[in-house]
Amino acid sequence: MKGFAKFIGGISIKNKIFISNILIIVVFISTQSIFANTISQKAIIDKATNNSSRELVLIKNNLQTLLSSIEDYSKILASDYRLQNALYYDYLLNNEPNAIKPVEGLNNLSMNKTLSETISNIVEPNTKIKAVSILTSNQHWVDVGFADNAYAARLFGYGYGADDRTYLPIWTGLIKFRFLYEGEDNVFAVSKTVIHKDTGKTIGRIFLYVKETTIASIYEEGKNKGGEFYIVDADGRIISAQNKAMLYRDFKEAASISIPDDGKDASFTQGSGSQEMLILTHRFEPLKWTIVSAIPMKEITSERKEINQLIIGIGAACLLLALMVSFQLSRSITSPIFRLAKTMREIRTGKMQVRSSYQSTDEIGYLSEGFNNLMDRIEALMAENVEKQRTKAEIEFKLLQSQVKPHFLYNTVETIISLIKLGLGKQAITAAQYMANFYKISLSKGNDIISIGEEMRLTESYLEIQQLRYVEYMAYTMDIDDDILTYSIPKLTLQPIVENAIYHGLKLKQEKGIVRVTGRRSGNHIEIEIYDNGAGMHKDQAKAITAESGVPAEGGGFGIRSVSNRIRMLYGDRYGLQVESEFGVYTKIIIVLPLRPQ
């Protein structure tokens, strides 16, 4: 031991540093080579998992949009006055002996023509609905030239179930159905009871048929290379797949994949060797379906070989460079090092403007200059980071606007088109006027700050349009004190919160509820309250919504969090959002703003 210490003591400081650096670098490069394969594979799998997860979320959102559109058409058709009159005449003909009866029933040619014209507006090619059947109160299936109603009678029967008095559309699972001119096909059926608007009597039931290929087209357009998508129902049957031969089969048996039965989204690998698969599942709660993505691991990790070669090449280059730098650094390590260390100690005390005064053409001079350049860059990056933090909330708000406006425009135009097709011209004009008012105010000549009065009119226009679409789900009230209408508010502050109340509050509860907007002055600030008696939230969800960072909570958390961050950015941490909620009962969000004239 003494001999080794003596040997080390006899080596110059330059060589000590050089040898130490070489040993450290060699160990580091060796360790990196050992774990490079594992690390690169994990990074590739993580990237594929994230991409697939985002794709499944997009598929789920598109599926929700499609199903909501089909349900909207069923509600619109069930409330169409022409269909109601035709079915009510048939009801009187067969159920009210003392009532004034029409000359003929549904077999009358003009009556069948009326129903055909009504139904033709909401089937292909105008919509994604393949065909429609009608079951009258007299247990008669009406044939209007699209669906095979004799087949429908054998499939659905002639009676009404216990749920026929509900106001909600009811979806079947995947079924075989026969069309008059195309034969049998795989379809989903959604049925809706027709209730007479004046008498409240059940006068019939409508059945809308959507082909499985329409559902499958949602995920077939942008599917992963080498991957497969499936939609599985609550019983584990495959109800949609790219390979149609797998339909109706048990998913575990057909695909050899086991889905967790806890109802939560999951990602995991299954199998081994060439059969190993990356599996991701997303739950589609409205119909208790599960969307499954299965990607072979060999497709995901095909890039690993190239990455390993790149890592080895970079490691060798780094090792060569390290040898050269270590040799140069070890040549002169006396007084310049201490001077540089002194400068570093001053910077650690908070004197960020201090720079090394050592200047030379040797390696330490180069290090001193590099250190000064690095500190200049760090100082610049710190200033840039402060500016980025200021604009972060604004960027999130712009992103929210870019999502809201096209989505809202699309849904509103779809509603107006549906109203026009059904001959509801006045309602279509009203919807168009509200849409025009919404966009007129939301544009506001490029101003991001508007008056509370303008924000309320914008929100009212949005609510009126949503009420046209979801009349069975929602009602709303607005009560704003006049003395706060002239004060300023960031544009589109209320709309994301109101939208969240409708889509993630009232709709999830599946019964009619209310959205209440109130505003008042409280001391030296303004409080605007949005209340809904919908599905509510758990405490951790409510806390995540107003968090300044992190992953947005499910159920509309991104939009609300963007609003909260933007208010704090504009006015300070004293202002923002306060969330109060009880799961299954209500949600109340209070917006606190300063008293600032527009």
Side-chain angles (χ1 to χ4, degrees):
M1 191 69 181
K2 291 182 179 179
F4 178 76
K6 183 177 180 181
F7 173 76
I8 295 296
I11 300 175
S12 65
I13 296 177
K14 177 183 69 175
N15 291 334
K16 286 180 182 178
I17 295 177
F18 178 73
I19 294 172
S20 298
N21 286 343
I22 293 302
L23 291 176
I24 292 172
I25 292 170
V26 168
V27 171
F28 175 76
I29 296 296
S30 300
T31 304
Q32 183 187 44
S33 299
I34 294 173
F35 291 102
N37 184 57
T38 302
I39 295 172
S40 62
Q41 182 174 358
K42 183 178 183 302
I44 293 172
I45 294 175
D46 289 344
K47 179 181 177 181
T49 302
N50 292 334
N51 291 339
S52 298
S53 179
R54 285 193 292 268
E55 191 169 8
L56 285 183
V57 171
L58 181 60
I59 291 172
K60 182 168 69 173
N61 292 339
N62 291 339
L63 184 61
Q64 177 66 61
T65 299
L66 175 61
L67 266 59
S68 297
S69 175
I70 301 300
E71 292 180 359
D72 288 345
Y73 278 119
S74 72
K75 296 172 187 177
I76 292 172
L77 181 60
S79 62
D80 185 88
Y81 74 95
R82 294 170 293 181
L83 178 67
Q84 290 225 346
N85 288 342
L87 293 179
Y88 189 55
Y89 287 160
D90 186 67
Y91 175 84
L92 292 177
L93 181 66
N94 297 283
N95 295 280
E96 301 289 342
N98 298 325
I100 300 176
K101 302 178 180 180
V103 177
E104 295 181 356
L106 285 175
N107 292 325
N108 181 279
L109 182 60
S110 64
M111 196 68 69
N112 279 337
K113 180 180 179 182
T114 299
L115 292 178
S116 296
E117 292 175 350
T118 303
I119 292 174
S120 64
N121 288 331
I122 68 166
V123 296
E124 292 181 349
N126 298 321
T127 69
K128 295 185 182 296
I129 300 170
K130 180 64 181 176
V132 177
S133 295
I134 300 176
L135 177 61
T136 71
S137 61
N138 193 35
Q139 300 181 353
H140 175 70
W141 286 89
V142 179
D143 184 355
V144 294
F146 295 98
D148 187 335
N149 287 300
Y151 194 88
R154 292 194 300 272
L155 190 63
F156 300 112
Y158 294 92
Y160 292 85
D163 55 1
D164 289 340
R165 292 290 300 177
T166 66
Y167 291 93
L168 300 176
I170 300 172
W171 286 82
T172 69
L174 185 65
I175 58 175
K176 289 279 189 182
F177 192 80
R178 181 178 299 161
F179 299 99
L180 290 179
Y181 306 110
E182 300 181 10
E184 287 190 353
D185 207 336
N186 301 304
V187 303
F188 298 90
V190 57
S191 62
K192 178 76 169 67
T193 303
V194 182
I195 307 297
H196 194 262
K197 291 186 288 188
D198 296 328
T199 65
K201 295 182 180 296
T202 300
I203 57 176
R205 192 170 185 85
I206 58 175
F207 291 79
L208 283 65
Y209 306 106
V210 182
K211 295 175 68 173
E212 183 273 336
T213 53
T214 300
I215 301 294
S217 66
I218 294 176
Y219 54 78
E220 286 179 342
E221 294 178 356
K223 72 184 185 71
N224 284 319
K225 180 181 178 182
E228 295 288 338
F229 286 97
Y230 307 91
I231 299 180
V232 183
D233 65 13
D235 297 325
R237 290 189 316 141
I238 300 175
I239 58 176
S240 183
Q242 294 157 248
N243 182 3
K244 305 308 177 186
M246 301 183 71
L247 297 178
Y248 302 102
R249 296 178 60 187
D250 181 82
F251 180 69
K252 183 177 181 181
E253 177 183 319
S256 300
I257 297 173
S258 299
I259 302 177
D261 55 5
D262 56 4
K264 296 181 179 179
D265 297 344
S267 62
F268 56 92
T269 57
Q270 182 172 300
S272 59
S274 62
Q275 302 299 319
E276 187 176 11
M277 306 279 286
L278 173 63
I279 313 297
L280 288 92
T281 67
H282 268 255
R283 186 75 166 172
F284 185 68
E285 284 298 338
L287 296 181
K288 306 301 180 185
W289 293 351
T290 302
I291 307 171
V292 183
S293 169
I295 311 171
M297 290 296 293
K298 61 182 180 181
E299 298 289 342
I300 298 174
T301 58
S302 60
E303 303 174 358
R304 187 177 61 183
K305 183 177 180 180
E306 297 178 4
I307 294 177
N308 286 342
Q309 293 175 347
L310 180 62
I311 291 175
I312 293 173
I314 293 175
C318 290
L319 179 58
L320 180 61
L321 180 63
L323 289 172
M324 297 171 60
V325 172
S326 296
F327 177 76
Q328 294 296 328
L329 288 175
S330 63
R331 294 175 62 185
S332 178
I333 52 171
T334 54
S335 61
I337 293 294
F338 292 101
R339 293 175 61 180
L340 184 58
K342 180 181 178 182
T343 302
M344 295 176 65
R345 285 194 296 270
E346 291 180 350
I347 290 175
R348 290 178 61 183
T349 62
K351 300 177 181 179
M352 301 298 293
Q353 292 77 25
V354 175
R355 298 292 181 267
S356 173
S357 60
Y358 178 80
Q359 294 183 356
S360 176
T361 58
D362 61 10
E363 293 78 11
I364 301 302
Y366 176 78
L367 179 62
S368 177
E369 181 182 356
F371 174 76
N372 288 340
N373 291 337
L374 177 63
M375 289 308 304
D376 291 339
R377 180 59 179 161
I378 290 174
E379 191 172 6
L381 287 174
M382 290 176 64
E384 182 181 352
N385 185 60
V386 171
E387 183 62 25
K388 284 183 179 179
Q389 290 299 320
R390 290 178 181 173
T391 58
K392 179 182 177 182
E394 190 66 23
I395 293 172
E396 290 184 345
F397 174 71
K398 296 298 182 183
L399 175 60
L400 179 64
Q401 281 185 307
S402 67
Q403 293 173 341
V404 168
K405 291 183 179 180
H407 180 71
F408 177 71
L409 176 62
Y410 170 81
N411 288 337
T412 304
V413 171
E414 282 288 322
T415 301
I416 293 172
I417 292 172
S418 300
L419 292 172
I420 292 173
K421 288 179 179 179
L422 295 174
L424 303 176
K426 291 184 178 179
Q427 290 87 334
I429 292 173
T430 300
Q433 289 173 337
Y434 283 126
M435 182 180 71
N437 189 49
F438 177 90
Y439 278 94
K440 178 182 178 182
I441 298 175
S442 65
L443 291 175
S444 62
K445 299 180 180 179
N447 296 325
D448 285 337
I449 305 298
I450 61 176
S451 70
I452 292 177
E454 290 175 312
E455 179 73 6
M456 291 303 169
R457 290 196 297 275
L458 182 149
T459 304
E460 184 179 20
S461 298
Y462 175 83
L463 284 168
E464 284 292 342
I465 292 173
Q466 294 296 69
Q467 194 169 44
L468 285 174
R469 299 184 66 224
Y470 305 117
V471 65
E472 296 179 354
Y473 283 112
M474 64 163 287
Y476 79 93
T477 63
M478 298 185 72
D479 182 17
I480 309 299
D481 292 348
D482 292 339
D483 60 346
I484 69 170
L485 296 179
T486 58
Y487 290 104
S488 65
I489 186 173
K491 181 173 61 181
L492 285 175
T493 293
L494 300 182
Q495 186 275 334
I497 301 174
V498 170
E499 180 182 21
N500 188 77
I502 296 172
Y503 285 92
H504 305 289
L506 302 184
K507 285 195 69 177
L508 292 182
K509 202 168 185 179
Q510 295 188 344
E511 62 182 38
K512 191 164 187 177
I514 188 169
V515 176
R516 186 170 64 237
V517 182
T518 58
R520 63 188 180 277
R521 177 172 178 172
S522 178
N524 59 352
H525 62 267
I526 295 170
E527 291 184 357
I528 300 176
E529 177 182 302
I530 298 93
Y531 168 91
D532 72 86
N533 58 350
M537 293 181 288
H538 296 291
K539 290 183 178 179
D540 55 343
Q541 289 178 296
K543 191 175 295 184
I545 280 178
T546 55
E548 292 188 19
S549 61
V551 179
E554 286 199 36
F558 175 78
I560 300 179
R561 187 168 65 85
S562 296
V563 171
S564 179
N565 289 345
R566 188 163 180 256
I567 292 175
R568 284 199 292 262
M569 184 270 293
L570 290 172
Y571 305 123
D573 292 337
R574 294 176 54 194
Y575 304 99
L577 303 187
Q578 300 172 4
V579 180
E580 178 184 333
S581 183
E582 183 176 345
F583 184 72
V585 181
Y586 75 96
T587 298
K588 182 194 298 182
I589 296 181
I590 300 174
I591 305 171
V592 182
L593 298 168
L595 288 170
R596 292 192 181 180
Q598 186 185 6

